[in-house]
Amino acid sequence: EIVMTQSPATLSVSPGERVTLSCRASQSVSSNLAWYQQKPGQAPRLLIYDASDRATGIPARFSGSGSGTDFTLTISSLEPEDFAVYYCQQRSNWPRTFGQGTKLEI
Amino acid sequence: EVQLLESGGGLVQPGGSLRLSCVASGFNYGGYAMAWVRQAPGKGLEWVSSISMSADATYYSDSVKGRFTISRDNSKTTVYLQMSSLRAEDTALYYCAKTSGRGGDFDYWGQGTLVTVSS
């Protein structure tokens, strides 16, 4: 099983800041990595697929990078609605696995 | 508009069974794999099971293998999760998710159905 490790677990930030979230895979997943956003009481939403491609309707302030084992999600300028939990997920191998999440808080 | 509507959750005793359903609409259902992903209270996301578009391949997490069965009825645009030998650790919100055309990531999610395993 590929273990996905996200850091940090929690990040205290302010609106307007630039934020970088990290995700590391225990073995290479090539570019087969997705990022999701989950707000309280809501289902997850796909943000980024294939490590760097934005999903439909996702604002340009969200960007992803990386390949192999190390990945980042960057939010260029935080908006109030971006405070949420972010998960990475690999689709390279079975079982599909998620990171434990990074919570962005004010 | 893609919609996924789960149902079938509830309170069940340890060792009991439950069947979850997810009715899909707004896309070519038979052209995509489907999945179940769960989230225990206050915890992260855990992939549970996936089924190919024609139901000829199914996949399970080790934590549910041998106890859960995923299936689909393309004529009813519905995916199911039959859960048996339920344990307290199966307590979670169960999401139905549409797998993208890339295979393996999930581009649309339902709102979830809550399964509580308790005596």
Side-chain angles (χ1 to χ4, degrees):
Chain A
E1 172 177 320
I2 298 177
V3 177
M4 308 300 293
T5 302
Q6 292 184 242
S7 59
T10 305
L11 195 56
S12 296
V13 292
S14 300
E17 284 189 22
R18 180 185 178 89
V19 170
T20 299
L21 283 59
S22 294
C23 174
R24 175 166 289 178
S26 60
Q27 65 188 75
S28 177
V29 298
S30 186
S31 294
N32 298 316
L33 184 104
W35 290 94
Y36 301 86
Q37 176 193 64
Q38 188 179 33
K39 298 179 182 179
Q42 295 186 17
R45 177 174 70 149
L46 178 66
L47 296 177
I48 300 288
Y49 63 89
D50 291 349
S52 61
D53 292 333
R54 274 189 304 277
T56 303
I58 301 304
R61 64 181 182 273
F62 291 92
S63 63
S65 64
S67 66
T69 61
D70 291 301
F71 301 88
T72 58
L73 174 70
T74 299
I75 310 172
S76 60
S77 180
L78 275 168
E79 297 287 340
E81 61 267 29
D82 298 336
F83 290 89
V85 180
Y86 293 82
Y87 295 94
C88 62
Q89 177 242 326
Q90 64 81 19
R91 65 175 184 87
S92 183
N93 283 16
W94 298 100
R96 307 311 192 200
T97 47
F98 290 88
Q100 81 279 17
T102 291
K103 182 179 181 180
L104 292 188
E105 61 178 26
I106 299 175
Chain B
E1 179 191 6
V2 173
Q3 291 192 340
L4 301 170
L5 184 61
E6 303 99 333
S7 62
L11 175 63
V12 61
Q13 292 188 341
S17 298
L18 213 54
R19 188 178 84 154
L20 307 183
S21 300
C22 169
V23 179
S25 62
F27 65 102
N28 176 25
Y29 176 79
Y32 294 92
M34 298 293 293
W36 290 93
V37 177
R38 68 185 180 184
Q39 186 168 37
K43 302 297 184 183
L45 301 171
E46 179 189 14
W47 171 80
V48 173
S49 182
S50 290
I51 186 166
S52 64
M53 62 181 75
S54 59
D56 57 350
T58 57
Y59 306 88
Y60 300 92
S61 67
D62 284 347
S63 60
V64 308
K65 196 174 297 182
R67 300 187 299 123
F68 290 11
T69 301
I70 191 171
S71 61
R72 65 189 293 164
D73 184 334
N74 286 355
S75 68
K76 296 182 178 179
T77 66
T78 302
V79 60
Y80 305 96
L81 187 67
Q82 178 68 48
M83 305 184 295
S84 61
S85 302
L86 283 161
R87 307 166 180 167
E89 55 265 35
D90 295 318
T91 294
L93 187 63
Y94 284 73
Y95 292 104
C96 169
K98 171 185 171 291
T99 302
S100 74
R102 296 170 293 277
D105 53 48
F106 311 113
D107 53 1
Y108 292 93
W109 299 63
Q111 286 304 304
T113 186
L114 182 62
V115 173
T116 304
V117 184
S118 175
S119 55

